[in-house]
Amino acid sequence: MKIAVIGKGGREQALVETLAASPGHPQLFSFPGSDAIFRTALPLVADGLDSLIDAMVREGIDLCVAGEESYLVKGEGLANCCTRAGIPCWGPPKESAQLEASKEFAKKFLMRHGIPTGKAQAVANAQEAREAIDGCYPIVLKFDGLAAGKGVAVCQDEASAEAFLTEVFEQQRFGEGRLLVEEYLTGPEISIFAAVCDDQYLVLCPARDYKRLKEGDEGPNTGGMGAVASRQLADDETLNAIERTIVAPTVAGLQEDGLPYRGFLYFGLMLTPDGPKVIEYNCRFGDPECEAVMPLLQGDLAGFCMAGAQGNFKPELISFSEGWSVCCILASAGYPASSHSGDTITGLEDCKARVFHCGTRCADGGWKTAGGRVLAITATGDTLEQARKTAHTEAAKVNFPGSQRRGDIAYRNV
Ligand code: AMP
Ligand code: GLY
């Protein structure tokens, strides 16, 4: 079996390596891929969606696995193009990926299907936003489109709300689009992943993402500075409530609305005093949660995705080990405001944990930084203590100028 994984970060490397380790020994391909991914996968040479599909057809790809979100909604949509070319795709078509690409679409979906979420109002300009906020702080402002994790502002006061309104409507930092003014919710956050195949689903191992740059959950929001994953992250009662009130109604809602879905679906949830509520949907695996969850996966991921992409749901093909997994991110100097490239990475050969490359380049026989988030370093263990001690000890062996890492991943909020 030939499988193409679309994307280039640590998440895609984790998917590529887990798929490659499947019992059928599939051959892996990737686009755009990375030097680290190309140690396991062959490159697909393309310069856009159309030529990517041509390249997949030429190579005889049997299954396309969507990694990052942008391709799902680009042009005609990755899954839509695959379907047209007769290639099964694990990842939803463009119309269903609006759940991630448009916060307003997602909010209407949630309301229509009675799925618990914060109250919200969509607005088209700063004046409408001020009227919707109506002096109630804290408030959450969300740009309607894809913004690489930077389109959400939790505003404690009028000054911060005004600053974000300027960014959105005057500077158009994220391009043109509307804004969602959303009720501020409180409680611990949890990332729930489901593998969805039409009207069926499997809830995978839950994870927690550490979104803020600095220890103690301080500093700006990032794509994620680390993650912890384990079945034990939430008790049975909480997981049952999540499945009953959120996952099952979402899958039923997709069916009801005629939105086809075969792929990973990510529920960003807040465990509020009134029960779990949806903060966001993502139509793919989380990053860095994927780098924490994949090392716990057992069984045949390739067979599972291949069958699922063809509408045959086979949950018995995969399972998750009982232990814990902790992933620490090393980010480049200046991240998330800017990113620094070309710095030499040292200590990788001494690191005994799993290393996934988020943004690196192989040059002069060594590794250089090439992005905001640079490396994801993951350790598993039977206990939380073992996993987090190993992850932090091994991550501390790796370095580059200006490296940023949180020392409290899996210590805080578990
Ligand atoms: P999102 O991109 O929608 O996941 O939002 C990014 C982060 O903003 C989330 O992980 C939360 O920490 C925070 N956030 C989003 N929505 C809310 C909300 N309604 N209330 C409080 N915090 C929120
Ligand atoms: N870790 C958050 C995300 O993947 O969107």
Side-chain angles (χ1 to χ4, degrees):
M1 188 187 348
K2 292 184 177 181
I3 306 176
V5 173
I6 309 306
K8 62 179 175 357
R11 166 183 47 210
E12 286 75 19
Q13 189 188 340
L15 288 172
V16 160
E17 290 183 1
T18 310
L19 288 162
S22 298
H25 302 295
Q27 190 179 8
L28 269 294
F29 292 77
S30 184
F31 172 84
S34 68
D35 290 340
I37 288 174
F38 295 142
R39 293 177 300 180
T40 312
L42 292 166
L44 285 168
V45 181
D47 59 8
L49 202 49
D50 285 337
S51 66
L52 172 60
I53 302 295
D54 291 344
M56 284 201 264
V57 170
R58 211 167 41 240
E59 293 289 355
I61 297 294
D62 300 295
L63 169 69
C64 174
V65 174
E68 71 168 78
E69 61 274 22
S70 64
Y71 298 95
L72 294 172
V73 292
K74 215 173 257 176
E76 263 182 74
L78 174 67
N80 309 63
C81 291
C82 282
T83 302
R84 200 157 40 76
I87 302 169
C89 182
W90 185 245
K94 187 173 180 172
E95 56 275 25
S96 308
Q98 294 308 311
L99 272 190
E100 170 165 8
S102 165
K103 303 254 183 212
E104 192 176 343
F105 180 95
K107 189 61 78 175
K108 286 183 178 155
F109 177 92
L110 287 159
M111 308 284 241
R112 185 162 62 244
H113 297 292
I115 300 165
T117 185
K119 291 190 202 67
Q121 194 178 331
V123 298
N125 56 52
Q127 191 46 38
E128 282 183 27
R130 289 184 196 107
E131 282 162 25
I133 297 169
D134 196 23
C136 284
Y137 294 98
I139 194 89
V140 183
L141 302 180
K142 299 185 170 181
F143 177 70
D144 186 42
L146 289 180
K150 292 171 187 143
V152 174
V154 178
C155 303
Q156 298 296 336
D157 50 34
E158 189 176 337
S160 57
E162 285 298 330
F164 192 69
L165 291 178
T166 304
E167 277 186 53
V168 171
F169 291 117
E170 271 179 47
Q171 298 166 355
Q172 301 205 325
R173 182 176 165 206
F174 313 109
E176 277 192 30
R178 284 151 69 88
L179 186 78
L180 217 58
V181 176
E182 185 171 297
E183 174 192 4
Y184 174 75
L185 302 172
T186 56
E189 288 179 48
I190 190 164
S191 305
I192 296 291
F193 302 96
V196 177
C197 176
D198 305 330
D199 60 344
Q200 293 173 289
Y201 64 84
L202 174 70
V203 177
L204 311 179
C205 178
R208 180 151 295 153
D209 175 19
Y210 291 77
K211 286 200 165 71
R212 300 295 193 101
L213 179 69
K214 303 269 187 200
E215 286 173 19
D217 290 335
E218 306 272 344
N221 260 325
T222 70
M225 290 297 290
V228 53
S230 172
R231 265 286 177 203
Q232 298 162 58
L233 209 53
D235 56 44
D236 285 351
E237 196 186 328
T238 307
L239 285 176
N240 287 340
I242 290 170
E243 189 166 339
R244 192 181 65 250
T245 64
I246 294 174
V247 180
T250 298
V251 175
L254 288 166
Q255 289 279 302
E256 226 173 287
D257 292 353
L259 294 169
Y261 207 108
R262 292 175 186 168
F264 297 119
L265 179 55
Y266 165 154
F267 302 75
L269 306 182
M270 201 168 266
L271 304 176
T272 77
D274 303 328
K277 294 192 178 179
V278 176
I279 299 183
E280 64 166 347
Y281 288 117
N282 291 312
C283 297
R284 49 163 175 90
F285 227 102
D287 191 346
E289 291 98 321
C290 193
E291 293 97 304
V293 171
M294 284 302 133
L296 294 174
L297 188 139
Q298 297 169 331
D300 182 2
L301 183 64
F304 176 82
C305 295
M306 182 73 203
Q310 294 173 302
N312 302 317
F313 186 55
K314 294 192 176 169
E316 67 280 7
L317 289 184
I318 58 169
S319 63
F320 293 88
S321 55
E322 277 302 307
W324 290 77
S325 180
V326 173
C327 166
C328 296
I329 292 285
L330 271 64
S332 71
Y335 178 77
S338 61
S339 75
H340 204 262
S341 292
D343 295 311
T344 300
I345 303 170
T346 54
L348 279 172
E349 55 291 346
D350 301 322
C351 179
K352 292 185 188 64
R354 289 282 294 269
V355 178
F356 302 107
H357 292 237
C358 309
T360 68
R361 196 165 51 79
C362 192
D364 313 323
W367 293 96
K368 306 263 189 212
T369 66
R373 288 186 290 176
V374 176
L375 295 166
I377 295 177
T378 301
T380 55
D382 290 339
T383 64
L384 172 61
E385 283 67 30
Q386 278 173 352
R388 69 186 174 194
K389 183 161 179 280
T390 313
H392 285 282
T393 307
E394 297 304 314
K397 293 178 180 170
V398 182
N399 207 0
F400 50 83
S403 162
Q404 306 188 75
R405 175 171 70 86
R406 275 182 66 163
D408 62 351
I409 303 300
Y411 284 93
R412 201 183 156 77
N413 296 335
V414 194

